[in-house]
Each structure stands twice: as C-alpha cells, then as structure tokens.
Amino acid sequence: MRSGIKPLAFLTGFLLILMGCQSTQNKASTDQKKDDFLITSIAFYNLENLFDTEDDPNKFDESSPIMEISEGERDAVYQKKVANMAKVIADIGAEVTGRPPAVIGVCEIENFKVLQDVVNDKRLSPYDYGIIHYNSPDARGIDVALLYQKSLFRPSYSKAHELVLFSDSDRGKRKYTRDQLHVKGKLDGEDMHFIVNHWPSRSGGEKRSRPHRIEAARLAKAIKDSILIQQPYAKLMIMGDFNDGPYNESIKEVLEAKAHADDVNLTDLYNPFEKLYKKGVGTIAWMDTWDLFDMILVTKPLINIKDYSAYRLYQAHIFNPFYLQNPKGRFKGYPYRAFADGGFTGGYSDHFPVFVYVIKKKTASAEVNPSE
C-alpha cells in the first residue's frame, strides 16, 4: 500500500507540520502542489532504555532503569513505556503521509521481544510492521534494529557488522558495543539500503571517547563503500544516534558528510541535518546546550534526480511536538526523558526522533526544479 496524499491534504499537511517540526527545505512550488505525489517518511529514534522486566542472566540488564523501579510497579511502567514509544512512532510524519514511517531505525532496545510489544500496540498493529534485529555483544545488552511496514518495504538482505574496539585505559581490553545493521530491500519497488547505527557514548569525556566513534565511522564508511563498489548509484541512508554532531571529525571527515547538496560527489554523503544544527535546533539537550546527535545521511542518487519519477529526498525534520518536551522545571523544553532519579517520569526519550520525507510523482515524470 503506497503512502500518498491528494493535493488538498498535501497543502494542509505542510501547514500543520510547520507547527511541530523543523525543516531544511522550502515548500514545493505552486505547480508542484497541483500534482499528486507519493510521499513516504523514513525515521530514526533512540527509544531510551527500552528494556523488559525480566533479568536475563546473559546480559547486564539488571542495571537498566526499569530494574531500579520497585518490582510491583515494573509491569505497569513497562506497558506505559511501550505505549509511549508506539505513540511517537505512529505520529512521526503522519501529518503529511497519513501513516507512520515506512521504515524506522531504532536503538537502545534490549531484544526482539520489546520491539514485538511496540509494533503490536494498538496504534501500530494496523500497519503490520516487520522487525529486523540481531543480538549485539554490547556490554549493556542494548541493540539496534529496523522496523518496516511490510506493505511498503520488502527486505532482501540484512547483516549485523560487529564493531571491534579495545580500551586504551584498561590494558587493551575488548570494549563491547553495538553492531551496525545493514538492510537492503525495495521501497515501493525501488532498491534502498539502510545502515542503522548507535555509536559509542561520550562516557569518560568527548576527547577520551572520540577514537571509538572514529572507528565506528570507519566501519560505517567501509559498509557504505562496499555497497557502492557493487552499486555505484545505490540509494543509501546511514542513520543513527552517532553521539557526535554534524561538525565532528567522525561525520565531517571520515564519513565525508557534506552540508550542501552541490558539494556531494558520488561516493560522498549529504547531511541535511547540518543546516538544522546551524539554526540552533537539536535532538538532545545537556547543560543548557542543544546538540544534534541523531541524523540521517544520504548518498548522491537521493538528491541528484532531476525529476520526481523515482524517490528522492524531499525534506528533513526533527520531530519535536510539545508532548515530547519536558513540560516544567529547569529542563522545560528538553526532550521528555522516560527515566530520571531512579524512577519513571511518564515521559518518552532523552532524544527527539529525526525523519526524512522521500517523494516521487504518481504520474509520468516531468522536469521540476528541486527546492534544496
């Protein structure tokens, strides 16, 4: 089933979305609005410690926030946390497309079961989401995964790429962290690649932990390059919580992510979120400072199409409606995190989700000036 909208809904949707999101691009021209488009959203969301209530002896999950809550309250907290995650996913991009994202990368999840609970929530179950997940060797027991609407995206290949790191302060001991997930499939009949990331944190300080994110960037680049060797014009998205901003060496130099579409070569990446960062918006807040660690980077074929006969990047957004913002206190306006001070806040996540719209015409292709 395709994700498309009629002209009236198209206009209404774009007026509404300005109320809850930040955008990198201008609205379509008057002529474009008269056409009938297929618009699909693709997203990424850090689900902030989505753990179940069971103590897995093979994981260090007893350190998860939900296990710090009294045993009699855990089930209720877990059910609320799952419902909150489903609500957010259901809302991302729906103002324009009329449905949740076709594809969404997620991180900070414990296992396959918690994702099943999310996609089986009443808000998402009508969309029949599939799940691609591998258990990673991460020390905290958290993984990345990809959710997809089976009617819109058909995966044909997936692989978890292990990121091998060694501590520089503990006698070269192995540091276990998240895999990087590569999924290939067809989005509405078009080949598309996704690489889902959750890079090492800044624990111990940004400078001290920086080499680990450099290594993560090198792995992501190696995966991307191996794909482009076989498919030079592959439509590929690298998404994730990078624990680095658009300005960091890992993103700017290793991944060669460019802020301007005109500067992107065939082997480079375009980062539409750098423009948002320069406007002062972000996905996380800390010590009265905003940063943008969550991004979706795309290859040139997604921005180099002269017409709309095939999917191309249309807009990039941070999803930050009021209900995802802390409602009061010193941290008012920050992402409304789910866990704090050893308890459940009733909130959602300490990260805002990010998403992009990809667009193509339902009718025969016609030359259109892209609104970069």
Side-chain angles (χ1 to χ4, degrees):
M1 188 172 179
R2 293 180 174 182
S3 176
I5 55 177
K6 298 297 182 181
L8 181 59
F10 180 88
L11 294 174
T12 304
F14 274 91
L15 289 173
L16 288 171
I17 202 165
L18 293 176
M19 299 169 61
C21 304
Q22 299 288 338
S23 171
T24 59
Q25 297 176 320
N26 296 325
K27 289 184 288 185
S29 68
T30 302
D31 288 339
Q32 283 176 268
K33 291 174 184 176
K34 294 177 182 178
D35 292 320
D36 206 0
F37 290 89
L38 290 174
I39 301 180
T40 298
S41 63
I42 297 167
F44 175 82
Y45 193 20
N46 180 321
L47 302 186
E48 194 207 347
N49 290 307
L50 183 58
F51 281 73
D52 62 29
T53 60
E54 299 176 11
D55 185 2
D56 186 338
N58 298 315
K59 293 181 178 180
F60 191 45
D61 60 348
E62 59 269 22
S63 66
S64 66
I66 200 166
M67 300 301 284
E68 297 178 2
I69 295 170
S70 62
E71 190 171 354
E73 297 178 354
R74 286 178 196 164
D75 283 342
V77 168
Y78 175 72
Q79 294 300 326
K80 178 60 175 173
K81 171 67 172 175
V82 165
N84 282 357
M85 297 298 89
K87 172 179 171 54
V88 179
I89 293 172
D91 288 348
I92 296 172
E95 292 160 310
V96 169
T97 66
R99 60 191 304 136
V103 175
I104 178 168
V106 295
C107 74
E108 267 196 38
I109 53 97
E110 183 182 10
N111 50 37
F112 187 84
K113 175 185 176 296
V114 298
L115 293 175
Q116 280 185 310
D117 290 341
V118 171
V119 300
N120 287 335
D121 180 272
K122 63 183 180 181
R123 297 172 181 85
L124 294 179
S125 59
Y127 300 100
D128 191 22
Y129 273 95
I131 302 169
I132 299 177
H133 164 267
Y134 294 85
N135 289 316
S136 77
D138 179 75
R140 288 181 55 208
I142 57 175
D143 305 328
V144 301
L146 193 81
L147 312 179
Y148 61 94
Q149 291 187 42
K150 296 175 185 177
S151 62
L152 299 174
F153 180 72
R154 295 186 178 183
S156 58
Y157 171 86
S158 67
K159 180 178 180 179
H161 294 261
E162 191 171 3
L163 176 59
V164 180
L165 300 174
F166 296 94
S167 172
D168 58 357
S169 60
D170 191 11
R171 302 178 183 178
K173 187 177 179 180
R174 172 78 184 273
K175 180 179 174 66
Y176 292 94
T177 189
R178 282 77 65 177
D179 295 335
Q180 295 181 14
L181 174 62
H182 170 212
V183 178
K184 176 185 178 181
K186 289 188 180 294
L187 179 65
D188 194 26
E190 292 184 33
D191 285 338
M192 199 79 70
H193 295 260
F194 302 99
I195 303 173
V196 186
N197 296 258
H198 184 193
W199 289 1
S201 75
R202 295 190 171 195
S203 177
E206 188 279 326
K207 184 176 181 180
R208 182 178 177 182
S209 60
R210 187 185 306 162
H212 293 150
R213 289 186 297 282
I214 296 293
E215 286 302 313
R218 288 172 177 161
L219 175 60
K221 184 178 186 300
I223 299 169
K224 178 203 69 159
D225 289 347
S226 67
I227 295 167
L228 295 183
I229 287 172
Q230 299 180 48
Q231 295 178 267
Y233 295 93
K235 292 182 176 181
L236 183 151
M237 297 188 184
I238 299 180
M239 61 175 65
D241 171 4
F242 298 98
N243 275 303
D244 267 345
Y247 51 87
N248 282 111
E249 177 184 355
S250 58
I251 302 294
K252 294 294 289 183
E253 298 181 25
V254 180
L255 283 182
E256 300 176 302
K258 307 296 177 60
H260 302 287
D262 292 343
D263 296 334
V264 179
N265 296 315
L266 191 58
T267 58
D268 296 334
L269 293 165
Y270 172 52
N271 184 2
F273 290 89
E274 185 167 351
K275 296 176 184 177
L276 295 180
Y277 173 75
K278 290 178 178 178
K279 291 179 180 179
V281 296
T283 58
I284 63 166
W286 174 254
M287 300 293 288
D288 298 323
T289 301
W290 283 94
D291 215 323
L292 207 161
F293 286 177
D294 307 84
M295 293 170 274
I296 301 174
L297 319 176
V298 305
T299 50
K300 189 175 181 68
L302 277 162
I303 59 172
N304 196 36
I305 299 173
K306 300 301 182 184
D307 62 51
Y308 286 75
S309 62
Y311 274 129
R312 54 154 293 164
L313 178 69
Y314 186 55
Q315 295 180 332
H317 296 270
I318 297 168
F319 187 65
N320 56 2
F322 288 123
Y323 77 82
L324 284 187
Q325 300 176 30
N326 196 313
K328 60 184 178 179
R330 177 187 171 188
F331 303 111
K332 184 177 180 179
Y334 283 28
Y336 191 10
R337 65 183 310 154
F339 300 100
D341 301 322
F344 180 63
T345 67
Y348 298 83
S349 172
D350 53 353
H351 290 244
F352 289 141
V354 293
F355 69 105
V356 297
Y357 289 121
V358 292
I359 185 172
K360 67 179 177 180
K361 294 182 67 176
K362 285 184 177 179
T363 56
S365 63
E367 289 294 322
V368 186
N369 292 322
S371 55
E372 296 293 338

